[in-house]
Amino acid sequence: MITPAGGTRVGWVPSLMSRVTSVAHASGMTAPPPPAPPSVDPPDAAWPPPPPGPPARPALRRSRSDKMAGGVAGGLADYSGIDPLLWRVGFVALTLAGGTGILVYLLLWVVMPAGPRRSGDAPAERAPAAPALPRSPVGRLTLAGILIAAGLLVLVARLTDWEPGPRPFLGVALLVVGLGLVAAAFVPGRTARGGLVALGVVLSLALAVASSVPWADGGGVGDRDYRPGSVAEVRDRYALNAGDMTVDLSRIDVADIDAPLRIEIDHGVGDLDVVVPRGADVELELDTGVGDVQVFDRGSSDGGYYPGSGSGPGVDDDRPEFVLTIDHGVGDTEVSRG
């Protein structure tokens, strides 16, 4: 035993340590061995992994979130990736073309199952408001294109003998609106697509009405009053696009008519009044659209042969003095004697 200079005994420390070690070995309390390094097994799958396949296409179902009438257009948009606005415009175009758009839409409504309903138990978290996008110039450019196209048509009509009716203007304007809707589907930004759709519907209805009306070349617009006093002053054709028109032939002397006067009357929109001499035999061919028809106080008629009244020359001699062909679109039609 060693005693340091201070007189303190330290020899018992190694002895105590050896006894603690002996007790630990006797009771089996030995330190565990270090863990073995993890073994690296070869992967079962091939390396490198195969490329991922194409994304799964969603099922064709009617949309419950993007719908105006049944969700057919929204479901087609989810399935094809095409903007639903274009699908709706297509259905409207088919409807105006021949009425098939409504039939196709109803058929898809029946065939396509409804999409999954959103769970309304848990309140949806309110998404943060997205920053407002800048307004797209498509709407302004579309209106500018309509004005430019209409101006070009007017310029061509002024420089040439072409006298267009309303159908070319409406058709070109509808074409420009359609191009604007297509551009709005691909150009980012806030667009006035609702306004363009409304404008397209109005133009389509106007074009449908204009197509059903017999617009005459060179007819013009405004009231017209024709009163020829002799056979030489009678025209072969009287035309008017819009406005009231009167063709008074009552001042013509029937005795001066050597051959039947064949007169064509084309009238678009407005009232039409045709007056013939009292003693003239008239052969009438009449084609009218919307409006009342009165022929020689006999009510509505599609035309025929009408002998003159009285006992003047040429009355009811089976040879008409006037052969009238009337094509009238919208308005009242009256054929009478002076």
Side-chain angles (χ1 to χ4, degrees):
M1 186 181 329
I2 302 173
T3 302
T8 305
R9 295 180 178 180
V10 296
W12 58 273
V13 176
S15 175
L16 179 60
M17 293 297 296
S18 61
R19 289 184 180 182
V20 171
T21 304
S22 300
V23 172
H25 280 286
S27 60
M29 298 174 57
T30 57
S39 61
V40 180
D41 297 328
D44 297 334
W47 188 264
R57 183 185 294 270
L60 181 57
R61 298 178 180 272
R62 289 185 283 113
S63 176
R64 291 185 181 270
S65 58
D66 185 5
K67 64 178 182 178
M68 296 181 64
V72 173
L76 291 174
D78 294 339
Y79 183 78
S80 62
I82 300 176
D83 194 284
L85 177 63
L86 298 181
W87 286 106
R88 294 186 178 105
V89 172
F91 283 122
V92 172
L94 288 176
T95 301
L96 296 177
T100 58
I102 298 178
L103 180 61
V104 173
Y105 194 92
L106 293 178
L107 181 61
L108 291 176
W109 194 340
V110 174
V111 173
M112 293 172 58
R117 186 182 299 274
R118 290 183 175 181
S119 176
D121 298 338
E125 295 183 0
R126 188 173 182 180
L133 297 175
R135 182 174 294 275
S136 173
V138 172
R140 296 189 297 271
L141 292 178
T142 302
L143 295 179
I146 293 175
L147 296 177
I148 293 174
L152 290 177
L153 289 179
V154 172
L155 180 61
V156 171
R158 294 290 184 183
L159 297 179
T160 62
D161 295 334
W162 180 47
E163 296 182 359
R167 283 174 291 187
F169 291 94
L170 293 174
V172 171
L174 187 59
L175 176 61
V176 175
V177 171
L179 294 177
L181 287 174
V182 174
F186 296 98
V187 175
R190 292 183 294 125
T191 58
R193 288 185 292 184
L196 292 179
V197 171
L199 180 59
V201 171
V202 172
L203 290 175
S204 300
L205 295 176
L207 183 59
V209 173
S211 300
S212 62
V213 174
W215 300 100
D217 295 337
V221 177
D223 295 343
R224 298 288 188 271
D225 193 357
Y226 302 99
R227 302 180 183 272
S230 63
V231 174
E233 297 178 1
V234 176
R235 299 182 183 181
D236 295 336
R237 180 172 180 265
Y238 295 93
L240 180 63
N241 285 330
D244 296 338
M245 181 166 64
T246 299
V247 181
D248 189 353
L249 307 173
S250 60
R251 295 190 296 173
I252 298 175
D253 190 356
V254 178
D256 296 337
I257 301 177
D258 298 330
L261 297 177
R262 301 182 180 275
I263 303 173
E264 179 181 354
I265 301 176
D266 296 329
H267 192 195
V269 178
D271 295 338
L272 174 62
D273 188 8
V274 181
V275 184
V276 298
R278 184 169 298 275
D281 299 335
V282 179
E283 182 178 336
L284 178 62
E285 181 180 351
L286 187 61
D287 185 9
T288 60
V290 180
D292 295 334
V293 179
Q294 189 76 19
V295 178
F296 297 125
D297 298 330
R298 302 182 184 181
S300 179
S301 173
D302 294 332
Y305 180 78
Y306 299 89
S309 60
S311 59
V315 175
D316 199 9
D317 57 358
D318 295 331
R319 186 179 71 91
E321 281 76 29
F322 293 92
V323 179
L324 303 180
T325 302
I326 299 177
D327 189 3
H328 189 191
V330 179
D332 297 339
T333 304
E334 182 178 1
V335 182
S336 61
R337 297 187 182 275

